[in-house]
């Protein structure tokens, strides 16, 4: 005759499903919190000036950072337009995501490494997400960018972006960048300086607007030319 399992063994077997259920509940709660944080903070950031996750990380790991928040109207128009034409030429036309650019990236061999991030996508990434490129991060960026673009005005979106973007080692925001590289406020930037700052955004740790390489100078000339012709594309920022 087979021996019946002891009561101790039966209790031990029952513990495993219970343990996994508890772990599953904890993971679901953590996921819910992570989803809720941006859903709650995006409306708050309509009126409260935020600090980005990477900015906070840099402050904790590296120490003091250069950063001073400035309102949208205290930033030279040529600087705003230069960044827009450089980073997101269809900024006023889309609702957070440039689907045409996304399709090109998906169909290309480079995949997500090529970027195609709009300014709203970059903004929510800087505020809530991590920097390493992947389909997972891009998949989270897209709904967050659409949500933020719905809640914030285009001017508020651009104001937040320009104030949390990184412009060099421990340099965050266009005011700190303008003072660090050119010794003037963001309100007093000229067309060439604005174009050099915009040209440095894709790689702020390697590109120095005050000592531009030949590549940066070439990019800045292109950005200047585009900014001069951007009138029809900036109506959401300057009606």
């Amino acid at each position: 005759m087979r021996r019946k399992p002891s009561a101790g063994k039966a209790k031990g077997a029952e513990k495993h499903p219970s343990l996994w259920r508890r772990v599953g509940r904890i993971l679901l709660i953590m996921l819910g919190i992570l989803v809720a944080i941006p859903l709650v903070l995006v409306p708050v950031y309509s009126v409260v000036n935020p600090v980005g996750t990477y900015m906070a990380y840099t402050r904790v790991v590296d120490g003091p950072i250069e950063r001073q928040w400035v309102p949208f109207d205290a930033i030279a128009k040529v600087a705003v337009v230069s960044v827009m034409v450089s980073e997101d030429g269809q900024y006023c036309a889309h609702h957070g995501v440039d689907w045409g650019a996304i399709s090109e990236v998906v169909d290309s061999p480079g995949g997500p490494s090529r970027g195609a991030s709009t300014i709203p996508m970059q903004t929510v990434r800087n505020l809530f997400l991590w920097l390493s490129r992947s389909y997972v991060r891009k998949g989270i960026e897209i709904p967050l960018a659409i949500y933020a673009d719905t809640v914030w005005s285009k001017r508020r979106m651009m104001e937040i972006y320009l104030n949390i973007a990184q412009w060099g080692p421990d340099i965050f925001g266009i005011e700190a960048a303008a003072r660090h590289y050119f010794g003037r406020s963001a309100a007093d930037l000229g067309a060439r300086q604005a174009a050099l700052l915009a040209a440095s955004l894709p790689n702020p740790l390697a590109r120095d607007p005050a000592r531009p390489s030949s590549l940066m100078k070439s990019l800045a000339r292109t950005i200047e030319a585009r900014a001069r012709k951007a009138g029809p594309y900036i109506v959401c920022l300057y009606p």
Side-chain angles (χ1 to χ4, degrees):
M1 294 179 63
R2 293 183 179 179
R3 296 177 61 186
K4 294 182 178 180
S6 66
K9 288 184 179 179
K11 288 181 180 178
E14 290 175 359
K15 287 181 180 179
H16 294 294
S18 177
L19 174 63
W20 286 115
R21 281 195 294 269
R22 286 199 297 270
V23 171
R25 282 197 295 268
I26 292 170
L27 291 175
L28 284 174
I29 291 170
M30 292 175 63
L31 180 61
I33 292 172
L34 290 175
V35 171
I37 287 173
L39 292 180
V40 171
L41 288 182
V42 165
V44 171
Y45 289 161
S46 295
V47 292
V48 175
N49 296 334
V51 174
T53 52
Y54 185 66
M55 186 191 305
Y57 171 83
T58 303
R59 176 66 180 85
V60 171
V61 173
D62 296 338
I65 61 174
E66 295 182 54
R67 192 241 186 168
Q68 180 181 343
W69 187 281
V70 287
F72 182 86
D73 289 327
I75 303 170
K77 180 178 178 179
V78 69
V80 176
V81 176
S82 294
V83 168
M84 194 205 79
V85 299
S86 175
E87 293 293 293
D88 187 357
Q90 298 300 313
Y91 180 69
C92 287
H94 62 63
H95 299 288
V97 178
D98 186 341
W99 293 109
I102 291 288
S103 298
E104 290 179 8
V105 168
V106 170
D107 293 337
S108 72
S113 65
R114 282 189 55 212
S117 291
T118 60
I119 283 175
M121 291 171 71
Q122 293 181 55
T123 303
V124 297
R125 178 204 313 157
N126 290 341
L127 284 175
F128 304 117
L129 304 175
W130 61 96
L131 297 183
S132 60
R133 292 172 175 171
S134 68
Y135 281 117
V136 173
R137 194 202 69 191
K138 192 71 69 178
I140 298 172
E141 273 181 28
I142 289 173
L144 276 181
I146 295 171
Y147 176 53
D149 192 81
T150 301
V151 174
W152 299 334
S153 69
K154 290 289 188 178
R155 285 168 65 92
R156 179 58 174 171
M157 176 77 74
M158 184 65 78
E159 179 183 35
I160 292 175
Y161 175 71
L162 291 173
N163 276 285
I164 66 173
Q166 186 177 22
W167 257 286
D170 304 328
I171 301 170
F172 292 87
I174 194 166
E175 180 71 11
R179 293 188 180 280
H180 179 88
Y181 293 115
F182 303 117
R184 60 179 63 196
S185 70
D188 296 325
L189 287 168
R192 184 65 171 173
Q193 294 161 338
L196 286 167
L197 285 173
S200 72
L201 275 172
N203 194 358
L205 299 181
R207 298 180 182 181
D208 186 335
R211 291 184 289 274
S213 64
S214 56
L215 172 62
M216 277 192 69
K217 291 176 182 177
S218 177
L219 290 172
R221 285 193 294 270
T222 301
I223 292 169
E224 275 191 85
R226 290 177 178 173
R228 285 194 296 269
K229 302 175 183 178
Y233 301 97
I234 62 173
V235 292
C236 66
L237 297 171
Y238 300 99

